[in-house]
C-alpha cells in the first residue's frame, strides 16, 4: 500500500517506520526470564488486565461491528484508493485471507504477538459500488454539510480498513501486514488512530464509554437482535445481504470553549447529566429521553436544541444507528465518529436535522468524511467481497 504522494514516504518507508515502532515497544515489554520461544512476554499492564477473548473473523457479518461487545478500546482506520485498473475482487479475497490468518495468530507478520481480540472490518467506497450497480446500497456519496473544513484527500475513498484491538501495539503491525498484502494496488489517502473512553454502566446490563467532552456516548442504538435486523444489517440485494453502511467523520473539538461552560450549561447542550448519562427528563440512561416532558411552566426538560433531542431517531423520523465516538489528539484534539446503519438516510437526515439548531455542533469542525459499504461476512468458502465482485481463487 502506497502513502499519498503529498506525504512523500514510500511503502518501504512506512514498513520501516512500523518496524522501528514495534521493535521499541517489544524491547520495553520483554524480559529475558519470561519470554517464550516465538512469543513475546506480556507487559505488566497486560498481565494485570483480563486476557482479551479472540474474535472470529468469519461469519454472516464481519467482526468489529457488533462483536466484540463492548467494542475494543483502540482503533486504527485506514482509508485508501485502488489504482486504476485494479480489480477489487481478487484484492478483497487476498485481504480476507490475510485477515483470517492475522486474527487466528497464524500470520508470521504479527511478529510473534498474540492476536487477542484483533478485528479487521473492510468496506468499499461509493465509486467501487457504483461500478457494480448505481442503485445498490453504498453507491451514494455523502453530501456536504455545514461546519466542514475538509482537506483534499480527506473526503471519500475506495477502501476502508477498520482495525480494532485491546492492545494498541497490534494495530500498526496488522495494518503493515495488510499494506504488504495489497502492495502497489492500493494508495493510502488518510488514516486515524483513536481510542474509546472507559465504559460506564448505563442500565439494562449495558455499558457505554465517555466521549472527549466528558459525556457518556452511544447509549441509544440497535441493541436487540430485532433492532439490528431492522436498522443495522442490509437485508438485500443478495450481493450485499449481511453487510451495513458506515459513515466516518473526523472532528476537531473546541474543548476550551466547552470546558468554560458551567456543568448545567454543558448538560443543556447534551440533554443528559454529565456524571450519569441520565436524560434531563429523568429515568435511566438506557431508557432514553422523554422528549415531551415539560416543567410546570411549560419548558421542555430536554431543551429544544439539546443534542439528545435533535439527534433522536424519533424526532428525525429515521431508524437507529449504531454510533461510536473515539477520542483523537492528531491532527488536533477531537473525536472520530463512526456510525453503522442500513440506510444512508439515517445519518444524512439526522445531521440535516442537527444542522438547523443542535447546540453541540458549534463546538465541532469536521476535517475528514467518508462513507463505505461494509461488505457481508466471509469465510474460506465464501471470499470477502465475492458476492459483490465475484469469486477469486485467492481466497
Amino acid at each position: 500500500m502506497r502513502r499519498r504522494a503529498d506525504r512523500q514516504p514510500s511503502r518501504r518507508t512506512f514498513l520501516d517506520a512500523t518496524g522501528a515502532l514495534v521493535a521499541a515497544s517489544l524491547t520495553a515489554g520483554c524480559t529475558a526470564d519470561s519470554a517464550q520461544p516465538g512469543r513475546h512476554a506480556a507487559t505488566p499492564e497486560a498481565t494485570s488486565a483480563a486476557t482479551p477473548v479472540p474474535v472470529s473473523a468469519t461469519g454472516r457479518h464481519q467482526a468489529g461491528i457488533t462483536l466484540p461487545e463492548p467494542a475494543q478500546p483502540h482503533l486504527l482506520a485506514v482509508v485508501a484508493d485502488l489504482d486504476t485498473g485494479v480489480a477489487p475482487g481478487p484484492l478483497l479475497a487476498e485481504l480476507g485471507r490475510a485477515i483470517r490468518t492475522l486474527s487466528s495468530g497464524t500470520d508470521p507478520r504479527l511478529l510473534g504477538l498474540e492476536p487477542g481480540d484483533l478485528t479487521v472490518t473492510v468496506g468499499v467506497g461509493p465509486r467501487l459500488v457504483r461500478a457494480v450497480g448505481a442503485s445498490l446500497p453504498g453507491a451514494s456519496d455523502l453530501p456536504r454539510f455545514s461546519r466542514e473544513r475538509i482537506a483534499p484527500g480527506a473526503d471519500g475513498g475506495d477502501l476502508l480498513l477498520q482495525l480494532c484491538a485491546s492492545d494498541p501495539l497490534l494495530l500498526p503491525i496488522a495494518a503493515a501486514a495488510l499494506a504488504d498484502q495489497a502492495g502497489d494496488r492500493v494508495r493510502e489517502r488518510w488514516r486515524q488512530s483513536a481510542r474509546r473512553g472507559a465504559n460506564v454502566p448505563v442500565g439494562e446490563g449495558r455499558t457505554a464509554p465517555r466521549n472527549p467532552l466528558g459525556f457518556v456516548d452511544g447509549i441509544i442504538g440497535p441493541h436487540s437482535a430485532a433492532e439490528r435486523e431492522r436498522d443495522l444489517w442490509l437485508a438485500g440485494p443478495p450481493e450485499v445481504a449481511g453487510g451495513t453502511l458506515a459513515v466516518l467523520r473526523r472532528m476537531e473539538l473546541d474543548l476550551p470553549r466547552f470546558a468554560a461552560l458551567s456543568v448545567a450549561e454543558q448538560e443543556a447542550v447534551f440533554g443528559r447529566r454529565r456524571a450519569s448519562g441520565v436524560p434531563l427528563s429523568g429515568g435511566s440512561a438506557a431508557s432514553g429521553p422523554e422528549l415531551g416532558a415539560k416543567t410546570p411552566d411549560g419548558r421542555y426538560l430536554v431543551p429544544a436544541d439539546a443534542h439528545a433531542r435533535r439527534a433522536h431517531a424519533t424526532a428525525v423520523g429515521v431508524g437507529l444507528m449504531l454510533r461510536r465516538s473515539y477520542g483523537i489528539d492528531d491532527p488536533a484534539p477531537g473525536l472520530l465518529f463512526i456510525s453503522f446503519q442500513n440506510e444512508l438516510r439515517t445519518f444524512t437526515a439526522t445531521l440535516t436535522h442537527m444542522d438547523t439548531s443542535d447546540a453541540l455542533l458549534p463546538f465541532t469542525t469536521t476535517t475528514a468524511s467518508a462513507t463505505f459499504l461494509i461488505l457481508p461476512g466471509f469465510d474460506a468458502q465464501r471470499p470477502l467481497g465475492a458476492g459483490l465482485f465475484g469469486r477469486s481463487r485467492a481466497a
Side-chain angles (χ1 to χ4, degrees):
M1 183 185 296
R2 291 180 289 132
R3 306 298 292 270
R4 283 182 54 83
D6 57 357
R7 290 231 178 152
Q8 296 304 320
S10 66
R11 175 169 161 265
R12 180 70 264 162
T13 303
F14 166 64
L15 293 175
D16 288 344
T18 300
L21 170 64
V22 171
S25 300
L26 294 180
T27 301
C30 292
T31 59
D33 58 352
S34 61
Q36 297 295 321
R39 292 291 181 192
H40 301 293
T43 62
E45 293 81 1
T47 56
S48 64
T51 302
V53 177
V55 182
S56 174
T58 59
R60 179 182 173 223
H61 312 296
Q62 287 194 66
I65 304 168
T66 58
L67 293 175
E69 200 168 22
Q72 309 97 312
H74 298 282
L75 173 143
L76 172 61
V78 180
V79 177
D81 288 331
L82 271 62
D83 267 359
T84 303
V86 172
L91 171 63
L92 291 168
E94 288 182 35
L95 291 176
R97 180 175 59 185
I99 291 167
R100 295 203 313 272
T101 59
L102 288 167
S103 61
S104 66
T106 59
D107 196 315
R109 292 172 292 191
L110 277 180
L111 304 176
L113 293 177
E114 294 287 352
D117 56 3
L118 172 70
T119 59
V120 183
T121 312
V122 181
V124 292
R127 185 182 74 87
L128 298 185
V129 178
R130 283 195 297 269
V132 178
S135 63
L136 285 170
S140 298
D141 291 296
L142 279 176
R144 298 304 296 263
F145 295 95
S146 66
R147 300 179 180 86
E148 292 184 338
R149 190 179 68 243
I150 300 174
D155 192 10
D158 288 339
L159 183 69
L160 167 68
L161 300 175
Q162 176 195 273
L163 300 94
C164 300
S166 293
D167 182 358
L169 179 59
L170 283 166
L171 302 183
I173 296 172
L178 295 171
D180 176 62
Q181 193 70 50
D184 290 337
R185 292 172 292 180
V186 171
R187 180 179 66 258
E188 185 175 318
R189 291 172 70 90
W190 61 280
R191 64 169 50 203
Q192 186 65 56
S193 295
R195 61 207 172 276
R196 284 165 63 87
N199 288 310
V200 299
V202 296
E204 299 180 8
R206 301 202 304 270
T207 63
R210 294 194 182 276
N211 63 28
L213 294 172
F215 281 76
V216 184
D217 205 349
I219 299 173
I220 303 300
H223 298 298
S224 70
E227 288 172 338
R228 289 172 176 177
E229 289 300 321
R230 183 191 68 202
D231 295 330
L232 176 60
W233 304 120
L234 291 165
E239 301 98 309
V240 300
T244 187
L245 301 176
V247 171
L248 279 72
R249 303 274 285 180
R250 185 180 67 200
M251 290 174 256
E252 292 183 10
L253 295 177
D254 193 340
L255 296 175
R257 190 159 65 91
F258 188 80
L261 301 177
S262 68
V263 173
E265 289 171 327
Q266 293 176 8
E267 291 178 338
V269 168
F270 273 92
R272 291 182 177 272
R273 300 297 179 194
R274 190 176 71 179
S276 63
V278 169
L280 298 185
S281 55
S284 69
S287 63
E290 186 180 340
L291 299 182
K294 295 183 178 181
T295 64
D297 61 356
R299 291 180 295 108
Y300 283 118
L301 290 174
V302 178
D305 62 350
H307 181 63
R309 178 183 295 276
R310 299 304 300 176
H312 197 280
T314 300
V316 180
V318 295
L320 298 169
M321 65 175 79
L322 180 62
R323 297 173 294 118
R324 298 208 176 109
S325 293
Y326 296 82
I328 63 173
D329 53 21
D330 182 64
L335 64 82
L336 180 68
F337 170 88
I338 303 178
S339 69
F340 300 98
Q341 53 274 301
N342 59 13
E343 289 188 75
L344 189 59
R345 180 183 176 274
T346 300
F347 173 81
T348 57
T350 300
L351 189 49
T352 298
H353 194 250
M354 292 166 56
D355 250 347
T356 58
S357 64
D358 192 304
L360 179 60
L361 286 189
F363 298 94
T364 70
T365 302
T366 298
T367 60
S369 179
T371 181
F372 299 92
L373 166 65
I374 302 298
L375 296 165
F378 64 99
D379 54 35
Q381 290 72 44
R382 184 181 44 154
L384 177 66
L388 193 61
F389 299 105
R391 301 184 66 85
S392 168
R393 290 191 299 273

